[in-house]
């Protein structure tokens, strides 16, 4: 049995380890940098580097790496040994302050969206001391930012850190107006609920589509899907349980606060949720979690799928982003026992409502991807329309403020289940709404649109920056008010802000067709595809927001837009190529071969018994041949359209064509082939079926 307190954080150079190994003065200076943002002196870096190296070597490390997040969204690392050969043929282990705080990877081979030409190779990584270094596979991993030779951010972390600075600056202005000058450091917190599938490695290796695209491009629905609702929170099968236990141990050693694990709704689908952390560290921990999930699965003959929609007809996988703001030990989104009397909370709540409404399209853009397009709005995830759910109690408070009437606080209800041995308990004053993209859940907001594969930095960067804008507007409007005048002005501001942005609040069923119509009447955006969602990134309104708070320059915004477009087009191109390859080399030959088998059988039966009735076999053959001809026709149309689109030079035009012309052809071809799958025996079908993959032994 794992001794969790003993192993927890044992592979992390965390605050406890720093306190133990660093001189007191160095430790204090480093804490000032981590907690207050003070500059780090070179001599401090040298002392920290030596202590970090000695600790890492004791833990078995031989190399170090600057661990960073390029614009691809995944993590990257280059391993350098501590080894420094001596003149007598031996070696010593060295690691300097300069090597700790700065690295120089080749920047030309990472996506830059036009910020860097291929021949402009120099780039820099810079130590992020606010996210602890850790040891992974005998390598000391140092979380870092990544920038170009000319200073532009080439990563996901740098804009996130800038946005966290922006929201802290504006939140402190607001808190000072409330007389809370010493409220403490303001940070945003994130908890990422990571969904994923586990399937057999043997089945995975026989599915080219899963291997190369992360999702099945073909596949008839299984005989049993999720309709019995028996997998969600069901007993975890032994192999998966063993995998989850090892994953917990690995994450706990890395200081990742893995908390909850369970079966999800779809067969073979699962979830892991941590305790929330400060946003920068929480996102680093989520990326580390995703990596560990993938790498550990093979030890159990499994493959971990993190695509948003690996299987048609059952739920896809998301990553709920639980977001809150705290100042010192205070959660600024906690309404308390009496939210109507909590003016500070209502100011921050109104700020969130304003931020989500004003920048709804930007939020939608942050979760746009080729995979997530298949998940959003599919009665398993929120729709592509951004709206906010506040719940019964808070919704009633907001309605009273908007309508200018008194609020009657609801009494807490005790739940009595009618069985004496079961305890009575207090019913929450609000239900949950799983169809809402952005839901208040008691003392935080849960942004439910992100897909399972996404790096959450973009979503939190936009949330933080948009909220900084809301808080700045409030502080600018009321900074000359004090005492009762400030209180009255704050109430008036909250009421007016909620009235101005009431359209974004929706507490109903986000899956319904009626909501889509109502959202259109309210003027809410509904960008159903990535191609539709991305242009808002480079809209003047977006660029102005990022530049106002120093989060992204216009060139950095445009580069990210280009990177996202390029990635989308490349992914769709890969899917089309894989689909064409599977058609040519697997499906068309297999279907033709089986049709020939049926024809030979009919011929053999007639030869042996000329009067035999073979109408059933002939009807089956006719259905197969009709389907085969239809599949060939659709395949030819797909191939022609694919060849046409890859010649389009303009990336946005190519994305539009991929989303609205190519993907419908791919779906149509899939439908025809899937219908043929149920006519052909398993022994003659070239790939494992959904029945085999999702219900592996």
């Amino acid at each position: 049995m794992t001794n969790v307190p003993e192993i927890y954080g044992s592979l992390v150079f965390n605050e406890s380890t720093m306190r133990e190994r660093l001189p007191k003065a160095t430790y204090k200076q480093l804490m000032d940098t981590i907690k207050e943002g003070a500059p780090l002196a070179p001599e401090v870096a040298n002392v920290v580097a030596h202590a970090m190296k000695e600790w890492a070597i004791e833990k078995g490390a031989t190399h170090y790496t600057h661990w960073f997040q390029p614009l691809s969204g995944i993590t990257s690392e280059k391993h350098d040994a501590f080894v420094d050969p001596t003149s007598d043929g031996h070696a010593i282990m060295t690691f300097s302050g300069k090597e700790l705080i700065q690295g120089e990877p080749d920047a030309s081979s990472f996506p830059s969206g036009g910020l860097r030409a291929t021949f402009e190779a120099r780039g820099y990584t810079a130590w992020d001391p606010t996210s602890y270094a850790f040891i992974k596979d005998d390598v000391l991993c140092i979380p870092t930012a990544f920038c170009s030779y000319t200073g532009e951010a080439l990563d996901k972390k740098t804009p996130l850190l800038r946005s966290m600075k922006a929201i802290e600056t504006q939140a402190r202005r607001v808190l000072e107006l409330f007389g809370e000058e010493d409220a403490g450091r303001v940070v945003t917190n994130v908890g990422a609920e990571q969904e994923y599938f586990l399937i057999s490695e043997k089945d995975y290796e026989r599915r080219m589509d899963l291997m190369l695209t992360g999702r099945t491009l073909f596949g008839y629905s299984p005989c049993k899907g999720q309709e019995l609702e028996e997998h969600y929170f069901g007993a975890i099968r032994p192999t998966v349980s063993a995998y989850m236990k090892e994953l917990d141990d690995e994450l706990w050693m890395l200081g990742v606060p893995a908390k909850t694990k369970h079966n999800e709704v779809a067969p073979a689908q699962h979830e892991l949720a941590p305790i929330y952390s400060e946003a920068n560290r929480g996102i680093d921990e989520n990326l580390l979690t995703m990596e560990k999930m993938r790498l550990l699965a093979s030890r159990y003959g499994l493959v971990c799928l993190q695509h948003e929609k690996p299987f048609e007809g059952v739920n896809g996988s998301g990553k709920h982003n639980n977001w809150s703001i705290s100042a010192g030990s205070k959660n600024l989104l906690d309404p308390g026992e009496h939210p109507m009397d909590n003016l500070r909370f209502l100011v921050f709540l109104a700020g969130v409502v304003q931020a989500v409404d004003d920048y709804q399209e930007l939020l939608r853009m942050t979760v746009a991807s080729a995979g997530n397009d298949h998940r959003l709005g599919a009665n398993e995830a929120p729709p592509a329309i951004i709206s906010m759910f506040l719940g019964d109690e808070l919704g009633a408070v907001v309605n009273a403020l908007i309508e200018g009437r008194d609020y009657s606080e609801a009494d807490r209800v005790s739940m009595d289940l009618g069985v004496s041995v079961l305890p009575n308990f207090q019913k929450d004053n609000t239900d949950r709404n799983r169809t809402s993209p952005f839901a208040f859940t008691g003392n935080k907001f849960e942004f439910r649109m992100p897909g399972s594969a996404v790096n959450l930095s973009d979503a939190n960067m936009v949330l933080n920056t948009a909220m900084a804008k809301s808080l700045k507007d409030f502080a600018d409007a009321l900074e000359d008010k004090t005492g009762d005048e400030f209180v009255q002005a704050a109430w008036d501001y909250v009421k007016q802000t909620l009235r101005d942005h009431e359209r974004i609040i929706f507490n109903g069923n986000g899956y319904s067709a009626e909501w889509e119509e109502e959202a259109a009447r309210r003027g809410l955006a509904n960008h159903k595809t990535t191609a539709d969602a991305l242009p808002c990134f480079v809209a003047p309104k977006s660029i102005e927001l990022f530049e106002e708070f120093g989060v992204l320059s216009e060139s950095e915004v445009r580069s990210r837009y280009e990177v996202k477009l390029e990635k989308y087009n490349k992914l769709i191109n890969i899917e089309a190529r894989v689909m064409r390859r599977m058609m040519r080399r697997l499906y068309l030959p297999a279907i033709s071969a089986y049709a020939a088998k049926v024809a030979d059988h009919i011929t053999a039966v007639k030869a042996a018994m000329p009067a035999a009735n073979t109408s059933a076999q002939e009807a089956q053959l006719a259905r197969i041949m009709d389907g085969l001809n239809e599949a060939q026709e659709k395949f030819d149309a797909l191939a022609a359209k694919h060849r046409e689109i890859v010649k389009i030079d303009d990336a946005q035009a190519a994305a539009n064509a991929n989303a609205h012309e190519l993907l419908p052809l791919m779906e149509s071809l899939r439908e025809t082939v899937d219908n043929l799958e149920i006519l052909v025996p398993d022994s003659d079908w070239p790939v494992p079926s959904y029945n085999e993959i999702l219900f592996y032994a």
Side-chain angles (χ1 to χ4, degrees), residues 666-687:
M666 293 172 65
E667 288 302 313
S668 179
L669 174 58
R670 174 185 186 142
E671 182 181 7
T672 298
V673 174
D674 289 354
N675 287 332
L676 284 164
E677 179 182 338
I678 58 174
L679 300 178
V680 178
D682 286 346
S683 58
D684 292 276
W685 199 245
V687 298

Side-chain angles (χ1 to χ4, degrees), residues 170-183 330 332 341-348 471 474-475 478-479 481-483 486-491 494:
Q170 301 307 322
R172 290 180 76 90
R173 290 181 65 200
V174 173
L175 292 172
E176 285 170 9
L177 293 174
F178 279 92
E180 299 183 49
E181 293 87 352
D182 301 321
K330 299 175 183 175
L332 299 177
D341 301 326
N342 191 339
L343 179 56
R344 186 192 65 190
F345 163 73
L346 292 173
V347 167
F348 277 85
L471 296 175
F474 176 85
L478 278 75
E479 62 186 352
K481 305 286 194 301
T482 58
F486 165 74
V487 172
Q488 185 57 52
W491 278 111
V494 167

Side-chain angles (χ1 to χ4, degrees), residues 415-488:
M415 298 288 286
D416 182 354
L417 300 181
V419 180
S420 59
V421 297
L422 297 179
N424 294 346
F425 55 90
Q426 291 293 308
K427 175 184 175 182
D428 289 324
N429 280 342
T430 185
D431 202 348
R432 286 180 175 267
N433 185 337
R434 307 303 294 178
T435 73
S436 175
F438 202 88
F440 186 72
T441 56
N443 59 6
K444 58 182 172 60
F445 280 94
E446 188 175 5
F447 186 32
R448 294 172 173 150
M449 293 179 79
S452 52
V454 75
N455 181 319
L456 289 174
S457 295
D458 285 354
N460 287 281
M461 171 194 70
V462 168
L463 270 174
N464 294 344
T465 311
M467 185 60 176
K469 173 67 171 170
S470 298
L471 296 175
K472 180 178 184 295
D473 289 348
F474 176 85
D476 288 349
L478 278 75
E479 62 186 352
D480 61 342
K481 305 286 194 301
T482 58
D484 292 343
E485 184 185 10
F486 165 74
V487 172
Q488 185 57 52

Side-chain angles (χ1 to χ4, degrees), residues 1 17 30 47 105 107 144 209 212 214 221 232 260 281 305 322 366 417 446 470 578 586 689:
M1 183 176 176
T17 305
L30 183 57
V47 176
T144 55
D209 46 4
L212 298 182
S221 296
Y232 189 55
T260 303
R281 193 176 303 154
L305 303 178
N322 293 279
T366 66
L417 300 181
E446 188 175 5
S470 298
V578 171
L586 294 175
S689 68

Side-chain angles (χ1 to χ4, degrees), residues 13 18 21-23 25-31 33-34 38-54 64 66 82 94-103 126-129 133 140 142:
F13 196 72
M18 294 178 199
R21 290 180 171 265
L22 294 175
T26 303
Y27 171 75
K28 182 180 183 305
Q29 288 176 285
L30 183 57
M31 287 300 105
T33 296
I34 292 173
L40 186 72
E43 58 271 21
V44 173
N46 281 322
V47 176
V48 173
H50 177 75
M52 195 181 284
K53 182 234 349 175
E54 293 298 307
Y64 70 92
H66 278 195
F82 292 124
T94 63
F95 184 54
S96 68
K98 181 180 179 182
E99 290 169 319
L100 168 63
I101 65 175
Q102 179 184 323
W127 176 36
D128 170 20
L140 173 64
I142 303 159

Side-chain angles (χ1 to χ4, degrees), residues 140-151:
L140 173 64
C141 299
I142 303 159
T144 55
F146 179 43
C147 67
S148 71
Y149 178 68
T150 47

Side-chain angles (χ1 to χ4, degrees), residues 12 68 652 672:
V12 184
F68 61 101
Q652 183 63 59
T672 298

Side-chain angles (χ1 to χ4, degrees), residues 542-556:
S542 303
I543 294 172
E544 287 169 12
L545 173 71
F546 292 127
E547 289 195 322
E548 179 179 357
F549 294 96
V551 172
L552 290 171
S553 66
E554 181 172 352
S555 61
E556 289 172 329

